[in-house]
Amino acid sequence: MVTELPPLVDSHCHLTWDSFDEDRDDVLARMRAEGVAQAIVVATSVENAAQCAALCEGREGLYPTVGIHPNDVPEDVEAALQALDEALYGGGFVAVGETGLDYYRDNTVAEVQQRSFRHHCLRALENDLPVIVHIRDREGSWQAFDDVGDIIEEHPGLRGVIHCYTGDPAHATRYRAAGFYISFAGILTFPKGENVREAARSVPIEETLVETDAPFLAPVPKRGKRNEPTFVAHTARALAELKGLSEADVRRITTRNARRLFRLPAEETAGPPTYRIRNSLYVNLTNACDARCTFCPRTHDDFEVKGHDLRRAKDPRFEEIVAAIEDPTAYDEIVFCGFGEPTLRMETLKQVAAWVHERGGRTRLNTNGHADLINRRPTAPELVGLIDVVSVSLNAQDRETFERHCPSAFSPDGFTPMLAWIRAAHAAGLVVVCTAVGGLEGVDMAACQRLAEDELGVGWRARTLSEVG
Ligand SMILES: [Zn+2]
């Protein structure tokens, strides 16, 4: 009985395709009825990402991504990547992709595809999201597989999945060592799929995902038909046979893997967009952060703050946040803090702050000072008139000590840009207070205070580790 088996996750499908226009709701109803609890709705362009987000909005178990398929990278790649950034900062996506390299169709020259792929990897790292990678090579060549290995290895700490895997065991091993899951689609069930079955045998089930890539590549016995998320069960069954595991084993383990990678909740509950401590209301703009502070619970996959469970798969949108705040004057202040770095959601941050001010509320921003590094532009002047107090986690008196406790996911130096941002914020007329956490090895609180007050000319406040900022 299907209902007694653990649920499945279809880790890759394209449900916005027009081949679903006639019966999309039936497809989704079947998916749930047949035990496919969740599906990643993968974008192939920035425009398509908006469609994916709209499809997933308000529907349980569907999660959108944003990315540009290697076959769809336009000639004006910079403009497309700019649009990608803007969409990404709007929030609400569980992965960056699909991206990757396709030397088989080569609609776009390899160098341009690589430029786009690297950009996706960087943004995935910064936003603490997984990257979804497509690889297709010319007949008899391994160039695309090799180049993907090189590019993901250029980005230590990157997480992701190689989707619809068609390579050999050796390349799969290389990608797994770089932190990637390997995902298998319906080709696993094809009579001519022996090379894919060989690769699947070589990948531990703990590092394996299953997917449909619907509407393409329907597995046997549905081969030749339009594919849909329900059919992922056939691929899971084939994988069980290959691995000498039960169908339940494969479902349980691949679902756990997918939930880990995409940070999907097991239950359809999302942490609140706001939470209250004392009489301040904290706005959880994002769980993502570009820094990996050793003392931060989220670095250790812990999403609880003072009894509030803040884990959520999708960042909240403007409407959800203001509905949760309701009346800004009911609180001493509205604090943009969340768990991650609020300036990753710069546009939403500004929108909500303006809304709070219009209604007579006060605002504070807690930040790591990486807003310019993240947004690639001078951001401090944009916050004037919107944010009443900026609290920056200085955290150390010098770069070396800072990097020891607060390494950045994408920059070898997070300290210098932070100081530059504090100076810019102060110069723009913002009220800035620097903080540091007492008790960390090598952190000299008196020196931090001197740096803040004497050198930077801003305020200072010492914090203890368990105290909410
Ligand atoms: Zn795809």
Side-chain angles (χ1 to χ4, degrees):
M1 286 292 287
V2 169
T3 48
E4 287 168 14
L5 289 167
L8 274 162
V9 176
D10 181 359
S11 71
H12 193 116
C13 57
H14 301 282
L15 296 181
T16 60
W17 249 238
D18 55 12
S19 53
F20 292 112
D21 283 354
E22 297 292 307
D23 64 344
R24 191 169 282 108
D25 286 333
D26 297 339
V27 168
L28 295 174
R30 268 201 294 280
M31 168 185 146
R32 295 195 181 95
E34 307 270 335
V36 180
Q38 290 160 319
I40 308 297
V41 181
V42 178
T44 55
S45 68
V46 178
E47 300 73 44
N48 183 228
Q51 298 170 327
C52 293
L55 174 64
C56 298
E57 187 77 40
R59 286 193 172 90
E60 271 188 23
L62 298 183
Y63 302 91
T65 77
V66 58
I68 306 167
H69 193 288
N71 289 332
D72 295 319
V73 179
E75 283 304 311
D76 189 357
V77 62
E78 298 309 324
L81 296 178
Q82 176 75 40
L84 171 78
D85 290 353
E86 282 161 20
L88 189 58
Y89 295 144
F93 300 101
V94 298
V96 180
E98 64 183 286
T99 176
L101 300 175
D102 193 322
Y103 297 168
Y104 177 80
R105 289 215 186 90
D106 65 6
N107 297 4
T108 309
V109 291
E111 288 70 28
V112 177
Q113 290 188 38
Q114 290 163 12
R115 161 81 185 107
S116 174
F117 182 29
R118 283 194 172 91
H119 185 90
H120 282 73
C121 292
L122 187 66
R123 287 293 181 255
L125 257 183
E126 288 174 3
N127 288 276
D128 198 11
L129 290 172
V131 64
I132 299 173
V133 180
H134 162 110
I135 313 175
R136 196 163 178 198
D137 231 317
R138 281 181 293 272
E139 207 76 47
S141 164
W142 290 100
Q143 196 59 52
F145 285 90
D146 290 338
D147 291 351
V148 163
D150 290 345
I151 290 173
I152 63 177
E153 285 168 6
E154 285 168 16
H155 298 88
L158 188 63
R159 325 178 274 125
V161 55
I162 309 294
H163 108 87
C164 192
Y165 193 68
T166 55
D168 62 350
H171 283 88
T173 303
R174 183 179 180 192
Y175 305 143
R176 285 166 42 220
F180 277 65
Y181 286 89
I182 309 294
S183 180
F184 294 95
I187 304 175
L188 196 74
T189 67
F190 293 0
K192 284 191 175 164
E194 189 43 48
N195 64 317
V196 175
R197 285 188 285 278
E198 190 193 339
R201 277 187 211 99
S202 80
V203 179
I205 190 72
E206 285 76 15
E207 296 171 42
T208 300
L209 300 184
V210 287
E211 64 170 84
T212 57
D213 206 8
F216 316 109
L217 295 170
V220 174
K222 305 287 184 182
R223 196 166 177 192
K225 295 206 169 100
R226 180 194 66 181
N227 201 358
E228 61 177 72
T230 309
F231 299 168
V232 74
H234 298 292
T235 301
R237 220 166 286 145
L239 192 60
E241 205 167 298
L242 275 181
K243 293 276 185 194
L245 292 167
S246 73
E247 193 180 345
D249 294 334
V250 167
R251 283 172 164 253
R252 189 180 61 253
I253 299 167
T254 59
T255 291
R256 181 204 59 176
N257 297 345
R259 285 176 177 165
R260 277 194 186 159
L261 180 64
F262 297 107
R263 301 212 167 124
L264 309 182
E267 304 294 331
E268 198 56 41
T269 54
T274 60
Y275 55 101
R276 184 178 186 151
I277 297 171
R278 297 179 288 262
N279 196 39
S280 296
L281 192 72
Y282 288 76
V283 177
N284 187 18
L285 278 175
T286 180
N287 274 346
C289 188
D290 64 292
R292 300 287 178 269
C293 299
T294 53
F295 52 83
C296 178
R298 56 174 300 295
T299 301
H300 312 289
D301 215 28
D302 175 4
F303 290 87
E304 198 168 294
V305 170
K306 290 272 181 279
H308 296 291
D309 184 359
L310 302 181
R311 183 188 300 270
R312 48 184 301 145
K314 295 181 245 189
D315 288 342
R317 292 180 173 275
F318 171 78
E319 295 75 16
E320 197 185 339
I321 295 166
V322 298
I325 298 175
E326 217 181 307
D327 176 12
T329 61
Y331 305 96
D332 295 343
E333 54 179 357
I334 306 296
V335 186
F336 298 97
C337 162
F339 226 11
E341 171 50 38
T343 63
L344 280 167
R345 301 282 314 279
M346 197 66 186
E347 298 317 311
T348 312
L349 167 67
K350 286 174 5 192
Q351 254 184 312
V352 177
W355 183 91
V356 169
H357 267 191
E358 276 163 27
R359 281 153 188 79
R362 280 184 57 78
T363 56
R364 173 154 63 101
L365 167 66
N366 288 358
T367 177
N368 62 16
H370 287 173
D372 290 3
L373 203 57
I374 291 164
N375 293 281
R376 308 291 196 280
R377 63 172 193 264
T379 53
E382 298 174 17
L383 300 174
V384 175
L386 295 178
I387 301 293
D388 298 311
V389 180
V390 182
S391 178
V392 185
S393 309
L394 185 69
N395 283 339
Q397 68 279 10
D398 57 51
R399 183 178 162 187
E400 196 203 327
T401 314
F402 182 86
E403 293 302 330
R404 187 147 33 109
H405 296 292
C406 300
S408 165
F410 68 98
S411 170
D413 176 11
F415 189 71
T416 313
M418 172 181 64
L419 295 191
W421 193 84
I422 294 170
R423 287 197 171 94
H426 182 56
L430 290 163
V431 176
V432 182
V433 177
C434 285
T435 70
V437 176
L440 291 182
E441 199 200 326
V443 173
D444 178 342
M445 294 295 271
C448 288
Q449 183 170 3
R450 277 198 302 277
L451 172 58
E453 292 179 341
D454 302 345
E455 285 183 46
L456 300 168
V458 299
W460 161 256
R461 190 167 68 86
R463 288 170 57 202
T464 57
L465 195 48
S466 70
E467 183 191 335
V468 175

